[in-house]
Amino acid sequence: MDEFLTSQGYDDLRGTAKLYQRYYPSILPRDYNDTYYQFRHTDTQRTTESFKAFAEGLFGTGNAAHPVDIPKEDLLLRPYDYCQSYKELNYKGAGSEHQKYTQSALWNSTLADISTRLGFLYTLDQADILLMYDTCRYEQAWQVDRTSVWCGAFLPEQVTVFEYAEDLKYYYGSGYGFEEDTARLNCRLVQDMLTHLSNPVSPHVIAHFGHTTGLQTLITALGVRKDDIKLRADNYNSLTNRRWKTSILGPFAANFVAVKYDCPAALDKEKAVFFLNQDAVQLDWCSVGLCNWSEVLHRYKTLADADCDEYYCRSGAASLAATTTLLASTLLAALVYLMH
């Protein structure tokens, strides 16, 4: 059942919809209208159920909300499935920063310390300790009202050591470590967002339900939470306050929301705010999260004007024979555009 949405996940998505409806009651009306709202999800059970949960949060049970048809080749929400060079990326194999880190003195001493705390006279296999770690964090996410007993195996500082391994994996697999091409992978999604937010006609609310790889490549394309120093196997201690933390970027029910505002009294009358997991995104060229729309269009002009067929994949034309994702993930990502 690892690729199915849990009951807690359903509650999370439903609650997220209710939260944004409280933020924006005038643009998230409780009555469903299929020209005002547009929903889309990928061809998986967990994104289908996430859409249903989100719609239930907005409109209540028994609503008439329905998604648009899923294309045979979903280049909008799963572009990484159709880029062969991206699928061949070595983000955690031999010679990668992730592998170097999991062979470091820090990593090995952490495994030894955990084994000692549990009463063993030898160091447990790495796979066994990582299974405990995964069970701890999954159970904690699924049963939020109680602490998983498996979490008792780890001290907070040991959890952060494991977190950095996850950060390295995703940083080079779907983040700034593979910046040249990862930033291009969501060319279509950036264009879709800018086009819809520039267009005053319906639909006024667009919600997409996809996967953590899609979300992370999107925020990479937008330059969100980019560190000044590249994450490497040897700089864990100097990057404790890094911006790229997967526990913040890609938790269960992760969501990215773009909101367009009309501000008649302002010099630049059109503005936008981006939210990542309910927190306003702080970009250097915006004022406390509020961005001039003209500057948004300027900053992302290269992506907006690109021919995505040629631009988004390093090898040029996409490989349409691909059938599986590079990063299999049970994490979900919701992307919502709102027009005030």
Side-chain angles (χ1 to χ4, degrees):
M1 301 293 288
D2 60 330
E3 294 188 354
F4 285 71
L5 190 67
T6 65
S7 58
Q8 182 60 49
Y10 195 96
D11 290 343
D12 290 343
L13 267 295
R14 182 172 53 194
T16 298
K18 289 180 179 292
L19 179 67
Y20 278 110
Q21 196 169 55
R22 287 200 298 271
Y23 289 168
Y24 299 104
S26 63
I27 52 174
L28 287 171
R30 296 179 183 275
D31 295 326
Y32 173 69
N33 181 310
D34 63 1
T35 59
Y36 186 89
Y37 283 97
Q38 183 185 104
F39 297 105
R40 178 171 173 170
H41 57 75
T42 63
D43 190 18
T44 66
Q45 185 272 355
R46 57 194 184 276
T47 54
T48 303
E49 290 301 305
S50 293
F51 149 68
K52 293 178 181 178
F54 196 85
E56 184 178 319
L58 292 177
F59 314 120
T61 57
N63 63 78
H66 58 85
V68 300
D69 292 337
I70 302 171
K72 183 178 179 181
E73 296 165 354
D74 196 347
L75 293 172
L76 183 67
L77 297 186
R78 302 183 75 156
Y80 42 85
D81 278 359
Y82 306 97
C83 183
Q84 191 60 37
S85 61
Y86 184 69
K87 289 171 67 64
E88 294 169 353
L89 175 66
N90 175 26
Y91 64 97
K92 62 175 183 178
S96 67
E97 293 297 313
H98 178 272
Q99 188 203 49
K100 293 175 186 176
Y101 180 71
T102 56
Q103 293 178 341
S104 67
L106 170 65
W107 183 264
N108 288 325
S109 65
T110 300
L111 299 184
D113 290 344
I114 292 169
S115 301
T116 299
R117 285 190 67 245
L118 293 176
F120 291 91
L121 300 180
Y122 61 91
T123 300
L124 294 170
D125 286 343
Q126 173 179 283
D128 291 334
I129 293 178
L130 290 179
L131 179 58
M132 295 179 199
Y133 173 64
D134 284 342
T135 306
C136 158
R137 57 199 185 122
Y138 275 70
E139 286 189 351
Q140 196 63 65
W142 295 339
Q143 301 169 358
V144 296
D145 57 339
R146 61 178 179 172
T147 301
S148 169
V149 296
W150 292 101
C151 293
F154 308 102
L155 297 174
E157 58 269 26
Q158 294 166 341
V159 172
T160 62
V161 170
F162 291 136
E163 179 191 42
Y164 194 67
E166 292 290 306
D167 293 349
L168 284 171
K169 180 175 68 176
Y170 284 108
Y171 184 80
Y172 287 93
S174 53
Y176 294 105
F178 189 53
E179 183 176 0
E180 179 182 355
D181 292 304
T182 301
R184 300 181 178 192
L185 274 172
N186 255 319
C187 173
R188 287 181 175 82
L189 197 54
V190 173
Q191 288 185 356
D192 185 78
M193 179 182 70
L194 296 177
T195 298
H196 281 296
L197 290 178
S198 297
N199 192 341
V201 301
S202 287
H204 290 296
V205 177
I206 296 173
H208 295 148
F209 302 88
H211 306 270
T212 192
T213 306
L215 176 64
Q216 290 183 358
T217 53
L218 173 66
I219 64 176
T220 300
L222 298 177
V224 173
R225 298 192 71 87
K226 183 178 182 180
D227 291 284
D228 296 329
I229 300 174
K230 203 167 187 176
L231 276 64
R232 302 190 311 273
D234 61 357
N235 60 1
Y236 162 79
N237 289 322
S238 62
L239 288 178
T240 55
N241 294 320
R242 63 192 176 278
R243 296 173 182 172
W244 185 272
K245 286 191 176 184
T246 50
S247 55
I248 296 174
L249 300 177
F252 286 111
N255 55 89
F256 182 88
V257 176
V259 187
K260 176 87 171 296
Y261 291 88
D262 182 19
C263 307
L267 183 62
D268 196 319
K269 300 185 186 307
E270 293 184 311
K271 299 183 184 294
V273 176
F274 302 115
F275 291 94
L276 180 61
N277 303 321
Q278 289 87 58
D279 290 328
V281 171
Q282 304 300 320
L283 294 165
D284 294 340
W285 43 274
C286 301
S287 176
V288 292
L290 189 64
C291 312
N292 290 330
W293 185 245
S294 58
E295 186 67 13
V296 172
L297 295 177
H298 170 70
R299 295 279 176 170
Y300 304 130
K301 181 175 172 55
T302 300
L303 281 166
D305 294 343
D307 177 353
C308 293
D309 284 335
E310 298 296 329
Y311 184 69
Y312 91 97
C313 183
R314 175 171 55 182
S315 59
S319 171
L320 300 181
T323 57
T324 59
T325 60
L326 171 65
L327 302 178
S329 174
T330 58
L331 304 186
L332 303 174
L335 172 70
V336 184
Y337 318 147
L338 307 178
M339 291 190 66
H340 205 284

